[in-house]
Structures are given as structure tokens and as C-alpha cells.
Amino acid sequence: MTFDEVFARLQQPGLDAEQRMLVTVETTLEMHAPRVRAACHAAAVPHSFNAAILARLLGVDLPEAEDLTRELAGLSFVETFPLRGGWNVHKRIRLAMRLKLQRDDPERFKLLSERAGACSYGDQVVNRVEAIYHGLSSDPDKTAGELERTYLEWFRSGRLEALHMLATALEELRAFPLDDTARAGALVFLGWIWLYRYPLDETEKLAREALRIIPPSGKPTSLADAHHLLGQVLDWQGKTKDALPHLQTAQQLLTEALAADPANVEIKRDLAIAHILIARNSTSIGAVDRALEQYDESRRILLELIDLEPYNPTWKREISVTYYDVGKIYEDQKNFPLALKAFQTDRRIAASLADAEPENPDRKRDLAGSYNNIGRLFMDEKKFSEALEEYQIYESSMQGLIAVDPSNLDWQRELAIAMQCIGNAYNALERSAEAIEKYQASRRILEGLTELDPRNAGWKRDLSMVDDRMGRAYRSQNLFPEALASFGRSQGVLEALLAMQPDNIEWLRGLSFVYHQIGRVHEAQGDTAGALASFEKDLAIAQRIAALQPDNETRKDELRVSQEAVERARKTKIIG
């Protein structure tokens, strides 16, 4: 082919950059024998190839495949792949060739995918990922089940690198046409892997697309997975009321699925998780009684599973979560004996699981969280030095985990919380300068996280909390302008969150506390009018919270503090 002929092909109207690239590749291949062109098209299906893989793909003997491999290795767009001891077609070209083959000759693409999925790539994890990657195109029904089993196995055993490799393969498949069942599974499990690593908006898109393509008559557990994922994402975005219908739908689907298959332990476990997620959602809007009922039901199911499989760490880990969450409810109610009992049970289970699976980072994270809980109870009991020790273990544990997986944004958030907790202990010990240093370090992490994912309401709430705590530390040092600046930032974040969800008890309490702290700064500066105005805002919110939770003794105590502050400021103003 002459240069003019190649140039004319490239100048065809309507060609985009990728099409021009394919024209160049096909033009290059036309200079070789048909068997080489066929070998190159086959080699573009898997991520990498060698002579043995090429022999299987083409159905030829090894000497023929070795000869073809040598010819392919001489092409400019074929690269060595030392990690697997072979070669690969350059990624961008490979994906374009793969997509073209799937579109132009779907039967051949399916055959090559089936063969590629059965090849050995020299590593068990790689073999499994490649089998799923190709199987979702060649045998979607069978592979959808294998994808779920693989995800659960690796997630439960803390196989982070394997999960990342799986996510990379699933992400690549988003650009390819797949059967609806296979595509929905790929989207949902990609979403679960992404959950702590990508912006929530992106994960929300995955869940919503999965729900669009799964028919109402589809597999109930698959529908439940998609509703669970979307419900959790909406919860984290602060859309608690929007999340609840999805969580309840998932629970109903799983209840029906379990009725049809009562011996299925995975459905039982998913149903237990559904109860936990609804309980957390209920807690955030102050429906504590409903939350406790949901935790009780979750624990009942998990105890059944433990009786069936007493050595299965998954069931024990999930029941530990229920104690962790219930302990936080009792702590909020200032029922410290019951909170301590729940937290100690959580720690005992978490420690036994961490000992049993020392290579599983998720077990270490669960144990790290128990130090945070016990530390808070020590703070409540004014045992500040003991609390500091617990928090320091929490911090060092999270630093160790982040060293293993820096991409886990939730672990980065946990480190920021640990730093904030240490700052709280320092502040209580009247070590204000050290407290501020820790708060600033925490704030830097949280600022970075909220910049990565501005829709993550939980991270914004954490940021408002560290500003509130830093403001208190500044106030204790009589650094009033710095204190007001910190409280102002906290106020701004909370008001923005409450604009999305006006009845969120936690956010309302946070804003009430911030107004109270601003009032105290004005009070310390002798600004009676400013103090009264802030205390009155605090009181209005405290009255609203008390009306939402009329039987909560903690809310009544907080309301009394707000009322006393207003009365004190009014008397001071009259005297002044």
C-alpha cells in the first residue's frame, strides 16, 4: 500500500481519533500475512498473551503459536509484559480492537473470550480476574455468580490488591456491551469496591444504572444488592429520607428470597446487614427505638448463623458491628454502663478476629475502632489520661493501615478522627497548644477528603466537628478571633448540611453547640448583645430537638444548659 493510499484513508470525513488509530493499525496489519492479522486480533482480547495463550486462542499447535508470537512482538504497538512473562497489545489499541471485534463479529469475540477466560496467566488471582473479565462476555449467567463469590471471598479475607485488580477489570468493562445481568453485577460490585475510594456521586451512578437495567422480575438478591448500595450512598450524602425506601426495599426483597430458600446463609447474612443499615438510618433521624429493634433482629439472625457455622469469622464480625452501633446509642443516652458493656463485647470479638486473621486489614480496622469507643467513655468519665492512651493506639493503628492501602479514603477519615480525639484529650488535660496542633492535622486530612468528594455529608460533618473543637481550644487560650473563625466555619458547614436535611438530629445538635460556643466567646469578650443573640439561636434549636425527641433525657439536659445560658445573658444585659 502506498503512502498516498494510507493518507487518503486517514483523511476520510467523520473519523475520530480512535478510528484514525484503528485505521493506522489495520493498515499496518495489511502488510502482514492473514494469519498474523488474525493472531493480532485474537491477542487483543486478553490483557496479555504468550505463545501458550495464543495457541489456545487460535486453536493451533505451540510451534505455530511461537512463530506467530515472534511476528507479533515485532509490531510497534505490541509491548513486552514482564510481569506476566509475555506481551500485550498497547492498552488503548487493544481496547479499540476488542470493541470493534465485539461489534463486527460478536460470535468470534464470544469464542475468543471463552478461550481467553480458560487460559493460565501464571498467577491464581490474575487467572480468576481474567476468567471473570472474559466470562461476563462469554457466559454471563454463570460468571455473575462467580463474580459475587469472588468479591465476597476477597472482601471478607481483606485481599485488597486482589480487589483492586478486580475493580480495574470491571471498570474496563463499563465501555463494553454486556448482557444486563452481567452488567448489573459488574456495576454493583465495582460500586462496593469503590465505596471507600471514589466520590459518592460516581458510586451513585453505578447503583442507579444497575437498578435501571435489572428487570423487576430479576434475581431478588441482585436487586437487593443494588438497592443496598444506593441506600448507603444516599445515607452518606446526607439524604437520609431518600435512602430509607431503598434500604427497606432491599430488606423486603431479602425477606422474600429467604422465605423461598430458608437454608441460604448468604441471604440470611444480607438480611442481617439490611437490619443494621436501617438501624443506622433510623438513629440519624432520632428514631432510636426503631433502631434498637432493628439491631436486635440483626443479632438474632447472626446468632442463628453462628450456631450453623461457629467458625465463620464473617458472622462474628457482623454481630460485633451491632454491639459497636448499639454502644454508641447508649453512650448518646448517657447510659454509660450499658455503653461500656456493648463496647467491651465489640472489642472482645474484634480482638479475637484480628488474632485469627492477622493479615486481614479490615479486622485491624475493626479493632482500632474499639479503642476510639472506649476512649470516648473514659472522656465522659473524666479519665482523660486513660482516654489519651486509647486514642493514641487508635491513631497508630490507622496509620499502619493507611500504609497498606493509601487509596482507602475511609481509613484516611478514621485517621483524622483519631487525631481529633487526641486533640480532645489534650484539651481536657489543658494542653491546648498540642490540641490545636492535632486539630490542624485532622483538618488538613478532612479538607482534602471533602475536596475529593464534596457530596460526602459525613466528611463535611467531621470537618465541622474539628472546627468546633479547634474553636474551643482557641477560646480556652483567650484567642477569641481565631475561635470565632473556627466556629464560623463549623456553622457554615452545618447550615449547608441542614439545608439538605432539616431534621437530622446530629447536625441540629452540632449547630446548637456551635451557637452556644460562639455565645461563650462573645460573653468572654464582654459582648452581651452578641452573646445573647447566639444563645437564643442555640436555645431555639435545642427546643426543636427536644420536641423531636421528647423522651430523651440527654436532649432535656442539653435544653436546660441552653435555657440557663439565655437567662444568664439576659440578666447580664439588664445589669449592664
Side-chain angles (χ1 to χ4, degrees), residues 8 28 47 64 77 103-104 109 130 169 174 179 235-236 244 249 253 297-298 302 309 317 330 335 424 473 496 513 560:
T28 302
H47 287 95
E64 169 72 2
F77 49 83
R103 183 176 59 247
D104 295 348
F109 177 77
E130 290 290 328
R174 291 182 70 189
D179 168 272
D235 238 344
W236 288 5
L244 185 58
T249 299
L253 287 165
E297 183 60 20
S298 175
L302 291 166
E309 298 177 356
R317 190 266 172 184
Y330 287 136
N335 190 334
N424 295 343
F513 296 158
R560 279 194 292 272

Side-chain angles (χ1 to χ4, degrees), residues 357-515:
E357 297 182 83
E359 300 304 316
N360 188 329
D362 286 321
R363 301 293 178 255
K364 294 178 182 177
R365 182 259 167 262
D366 291 340
L367 182 57
S370 75
Y371 288 98
N372 179 21
N373 291 332
I374 302 292
R376 285 200 315 275
L377 289 184
F378 279 141
M379 290 290 290
D380 290 329
E381 295 172 344
K382 313 298 183 187
K383 298 177 181 177
F384 304 130
S385 296
E386 291 90 335
L388 180 59
E389 291 177 7
E390 296 284 319
Y391 289 150
Q392 287 171 333
I393 296 172
Y394 179 33
E395 179 187 41
S396 64
S397 298
M398 296 315 304
Q399 287 171 333
L401 286 168
I402 289 170
V404 173
D405 183 12
S407 70
N408 191 314
L409 304 182
D410 192 53
W411 290 356
Q412 291 188 34
R413 177 257 178 190
E414 288 277 355
L415 177 59
I417 297 301
M419 290 174 170
Q420 185 181 149
C421 290
I422 291 174
N424 295 343
Y426 279 149
N427 215 23
L429 290 166
E430 299 183 354
R431 295 162 62 176
S432 301
E434 292 169 281
I436 290 170
E437 186 178 338
K438 278 295 180 184
Y439 291 142
Q440 289 171 335
S442 174
R443 193 177 197 286
R444 284 193 293 272
I445 296 172
L446 292 168
E447 268 191 315
L449 291 175
T450 53
E451 286 173 8
L452 284 172
D453 188 359
R455 297 287 295 279
N456 192 312
W459 293 347
K460 287 184 176 180
R461 172 63 177 120
D462 294 334
L463 185 59
S464 77
M465 286 176 66
V466 78
D467 276 323
D468 172 72
R469 294 295 180 175
M470 189 152 43
R472 297 182 193 213
Y474 281 132
R475 193 199 70 221
S476 70
Q477 293 185 307
N478 294 328
L479 298 172
F480 300 132
E482 292 87 346
L484 287 174
S486 292
F487 290 135
R489 288 193 299 266
S490 180
Q491 174 190 338
V493 170
L494 288 164
E495 287 176 342
L497 289 173
L498 285 163
M500 294 190 304
Q501 187 184 328
D503 292 336
N504 187 298
I505 298 293
E506 181 190 359
W507 301 346
L508 284 168
R509 290 180 71 215
L511 186 58
S512 172
F513 296 158
V514 166
Y515 277 127

Side-chain angles (χ1 to χ4, degrees), residues 131-169:
I132 291 169
Y133 177 78
H134 298 294
L136 288 172
S137 295
S138 61
D139 192 354
D141 289 337
K142 177 183 175 182
T143 309
E146 178 58 24
L147 170 59
E148 180 176 6
R149 286 189 293 274
T150 298
Y151 167 78
L152 289 174
E153 178 187 330
W154 288 350
F155 173 74
R156 290 170 180 174
S157 58
R159 302 283 298 278
L160 299 177
E161 289 185 9
L163 285 172
H164 291 173
M165 189 180 296
L166 178 61
T168 300

Side-chain angles (χ1 to χ4, degrees), residues 24 57 74 89 99 135 143 182 290 303 356 424 489 500-501 543:
T24 304
L57 291 173
V89 177
L99 190 58
T143 309
R290 182 171 70 192
L303 287 171
N424 295 343
R489 288 193 299 266
M500 294 190 304
Q501 187 184 328
Q543 288 170 331

Side-chain angles (χ1 to χ4, degrees), residues 285-286 502-505 508 543-551:
I285 59 173
D503 292 336
N504 187 298
I505 298 293
L508 284 168
Q543 288 170 331
R544 182 178 169 192
I545 296 170
L548 289 170
Q549 294 185 311
D551 298 325

Side-chain angles (χ1 to χ4, degrees), residues 314-347:
T314 299
W315 318 145
K316 294 179 181 178
R317 190 266 172 184
E318 304 304 352
I319 205 166
S320 175
V321 168
T322 68
Y323 287 110
Y324 177 98
D325 287 354
V326 168
K328 290 169 72 175
I329 290 175
Y330 287 136
E331 180 189 5
D332 180 61
Q333 294 175 335
K334 298 194 182 303
N335 190 334
F336 299 135
L338 281 182
L340 179 60
K341 184 178 179 181
F343 288 150
Q344 287 174 333
T345 303
D346 165 50
R347 175 177 288 186

